[in-house]
Amino acid sequence: MSNIQMDDSKTLWERWQRNAERNPDREAIVHWGAGEEPIRWTYKNLIETAKKFSVKIKEAGIKKGDVCAIIMRHNPFFYPLYLGISRAGALPAVLAYPNPRLHPDKFRQGLEGMSQRSGLDYILTERELNPIIRPLIEKPGSTIRSVFFPLDWDIKKDIDPNADAEIEQIALSVKETDPILLQHSSGTTGLQKPVVLSHRAVLNHVVNLGNSYNLTESDKIASWLPLYHDFGLIACFHIPLAYGITTIQINPFEWVLAPILLLEVITKEKATMTCLPNFAYNVLAEKIHDDELSDISLESLRLVINGAEPIRHESHQKFADKFKKYGFNPLALSCLYGMAEVTLCLVTSVPGLPLPELVVDRNELSRGVMKFADKDSITRVCVSTGRLINGCDIKIVDDNRKELQDGIIGEILAKSVSMFDGYRNYPEKTAEVFYDGWYISGDYGFRYKDEFYIIGRKKDLIIVAGKNIYPEDIEDALNQVEGIIPGRVISFGEEDEQMGTEQIAVVAETKSESGKEKNELRLAILKAGMAIDVNIHKVYLVPPRWLIKSSAGKPSRKANKERIISREDKQVWSR
């Protein structure tokens, strides 16, 4: 079937409505829950229900430009609610529902930080969270005006024509340059930068990314990715919804408990595409027994897109080897690279072709040069994330912003017709990430024969199973633990080759000496991590004055990570 033809819609709401007019009975979203009959939203039903929610939004006093934070578990009414907020001219901002292990005070602190920095005007959530959120709203000086429980709203009645007409006028007043959404990075603290995307940025990306992947009317995307993350929200919600194809949404928490759920959905719904962070390839290949796979068929898959984490050859190989006998075509393996600031991605693999891979000398790579491995080399397989999509450009530069030749590693600068409008209420941070009109990514990589290879992060961001974790958050929590010398703890990511992701490690100075004291301290550290929804994989306890300081007088993450992993210091007490 030929590629879908995009129209001249200026806003997402206009585009969604036109999809409903052209293909009213086509499935827009299939809401999948384990052990339950899927709930199937057609484009017509989705739009009609979104209109009802938009009336309730306006009746609640929410106005054009207001930010509505949605904090909700996997629920079929999330989708029309999201669309209804947009129709009313407000900005949806999807936030993570708090993990039960997360302390309510920590959750409130995160919401307060986000509301004060980026501006959360209203919270739309489940009534169960009312006791947790209400004290924050009632706190003097709170910027959050109110909390609503949209799942309790009565949307069974027909819409009042006058109210509907008023809201349609609001929708028509929205310009393509107006913001469509506010997106925070994953996590629960107030440190995330709030990315503002316009209707035009998203619609440009729909066209350019859709064409790169040769989307057609027969495509179906299956996804368990959380919608508070750009990989889930843009790749597996906005892109298919605007293109007019079907997406199957799986509960992320159910997938974690039973990864085979994704394969069952692909089999039953005959999905053609799915998107996965790198660690999920390992989970699917290693955590599912063959005797569970007798009814699985992956023949329908034409694209399995790897993104949101550094891409690893071993993970792809494990996945392909495991599932070839269940109909999986290894040529379906695909990659992308980008960031929320460019809506989603800059480069993608060419569909249907083998992924370019380079076997290089690891030591030379660490020195900033791509050199092919020889028989004496310690090797690393670099997997290409793809080629530039239309409307995007990349420069690889050195520390002086001078462009580098192919095969030389440098920092990635980006341009895109889908560039974000800046960090909301954060002009100083927005200014920091631009150089002469180019976005400074903070990632390192190189180009070779028009393919881009991403090899690492410039900063200390830790990525565990697709989740971005800031070491400062962990260190702040651990500095409160009795037994750790305050200010003398660092956190970093250690590679876990078996799982295909990073795991969190901490190094903490302590005066504790006995085995009993150290065991109790390790347990306290693990509990402190759980309190902020972080699983600490390794705990290294070291004596006072062990940590190396940076020139700024703070313990250096890089230097101490290298020291601890070298295992040369016999004083280290590790878990």
Side-chain angles (χ1 to χ4, degrees), residues 205 208-214 303 305-306 334-338 344-351 355-356 384-390 394 450-452:
H205 214 57
N208 292 330
L209 188 59
N211 288 340
S212 293
Y213 283 132
N214 300 326
L303 283 175
I305 303 165
N306 193 339
S334 182
C335 302
L336 62 76
Y337 164 71
L344 180 66
C345 76
L346 297 158
V347 301
T348 64
S349 306
V350 179
L355 291 175
S384 169
T385 56
R387 298 183 173 223
L388 287 168
I389 66 173
N390 287 341
I394 284 177
D450 294 326
E451 301 277 342
F452 289 88

Side-chain angles (χ1 to χ4, degrees), residues 103-398:
H103 194 282
D105 288 344
K106 190 67 180 178
F107 178 65
R108 277 194 294 266
Q109 178 187 341
L111 279 181
E112 186 173 22
M114 280 188 276
S115 66
Q116 290 176 348
R117 166 49 68 183
S118 59
L120 305 179
D121 298 302
Y122 298 97
I123 295 177
L124 280 62
T125 188
E126 300 177 27
R127 189 166 291 278
E128 186 177 309
L129 287 188
N130 189 42
I132 299 176
I133 296 175
R134 183 69 61 181
L136 172 62
I137 297 169
E138 294 172 350
K139 184 177 179 180
S142 173
T143 59
I144 300 172
R145 301 178 201 173
S146 189
V147 59
F148 298 110
F149 309 104
L151 299 181
D152 294 348
W153 291 344
D154 181 6
I155 55 168
K156 295 177 182 177
K157 299 177 182 177
D158 291 337
I159 302 175
D160 176 76
N162 293 328
D164 188 55
E166 285 182 27
I167 297 171
E168 190 63 26
Q169 286 304 308
I170 295 172
L172 291 172
S173 74
V174 175
K175 301 188 289 292
E176 63 178 331
T177 53
D178 286 342
I180 171 63
L181 62 93
L182 183 65
Q183 184 167 266
H184 293 82
S185 54
S186 59
T188 52
T189 74
L191 301 177
Q192 300 89 28
K193 295 187 288 289
V195 173
V196 179
L197 295 176
S198 68
H199 289 263
R200 181 169 60 190
V202 175
L203 284 168
N204 282 341
H205 214 57
V206 168
V207 173
N208 292 330
L209 188 59
N211 288 340
S212 293
Y213 283 132
N214 300 326
L215 288 184
T216 73
E217 292 183 352
S218 60
D219 275 314
K220 273 187 174 183
I221 300 175
S223 172
W224 60 266
L225 299 176
L227 295 174
Y228 58 77
H229 192 284
D230 62 310
F231 202 19
L233 184 68
I234 303 300
C236 302
F237 181 70
H238 270 292
I239 298 290
L241 195 60
Y243 240 96
I245 58 179
T246 305
T247 179
I248 305 124
Q249 296 287 343
I250 303 166
N251 188 331
F253 293 107
E254 290 182 349
W255 180 84
V256 169
L257 294 173
I260 196 172
L261 183 59
L262 174 65
L263 307 182
E264 291 173 349
V265 168
I266 291 168
T267 301
K268 292 176 181 177
E269 298 288 337
K270 293 183 169 47
T272 62
M273 301 170 64
T274 190
C275 298
L276 302 172
N278 193 88
F279 87 96
Y281 292 76
N282 294 63
V283 169
L284 290 163
E286 296 175 352
K287 303 299 181 184
I288 303 173
H289 297 294
D290 282 341
D291 57 10
E292 299 177 75
L293 296 169
S294 58
D295 296 327
I296 295 300
S297 172
L298 304 184
E299 291 181 4
S300 62
L301 280 179
R302 71 176 186 89
L303 283 175
V304 180
I305 303 165
N306 193 339
E309 282 195 306
I311 291 159
R312 293 167 169 86
H313 161 81
E314 295 82 5
S315 301
H316 280 177
Q317 196 63 52
K318 286 178 182 178
F319 185 88
D321 290 346
K322 173 86 170 187
F323 294 109
K324 270 191 285 189
K325 59 185 172 183
Y326 301 101
F328 178 68
N329 181 358
L331 292 179
L333 291 169
S334 182
C335 302
L336 62 76
Y337 164 71
M339 62 286 299
E341 286 83 355
V342 297
T343 301
L344 180 66
C345 76
L346 297 158
V347 301
T348 64
S349 306
V350 179
L353 296 181
L355 291 175
E357 296 183 337
L358 305 176
V359 182
V360 305
D361 187 299
R362 185 183 291 269
N363 290 331
E364 290 299 316
L365 201 67
S366 68
R367 298 184 183 101
V369 178
M370 189 284 291
K371 180 184 177 184
F372 290 108
D374 56 35
K375 61 182 179 63
D376 298 321
S377 296
I378 299 172
T379 63
R380 171 174 172 176
V381 180
C382 294
V383 182
S384 169
T385 56
R387 298 183 173 223
L388 287 168
I389 66 173
N390 287 341
C392 296
D393 199 7
I394 284 177
K395 283 202 299 190
I396 311 289
V397 300
D398 62 17

Side-chain angles (χ1 to χ4, degrees), residues 451-468:
E451 301 277 342
F452 289 88
Y453 298 79
I454 313 304
I455 64 166
R457 308 276 176 149
K458 184 176 182 180
K459 295 183 178 179
D460 294 319
L461 189 69
I462 305 169
I463 304 178
V464 180
K467 180 180 179 181
N468 294 342

Side-chain angles (χ1 to χ4, degrees), residues 483-494:
I484 292 178
I485 299 173
R488 305 296 294 173
V489 57
I490 59 114
S491 170
F492 56 87
E494 270 195 34

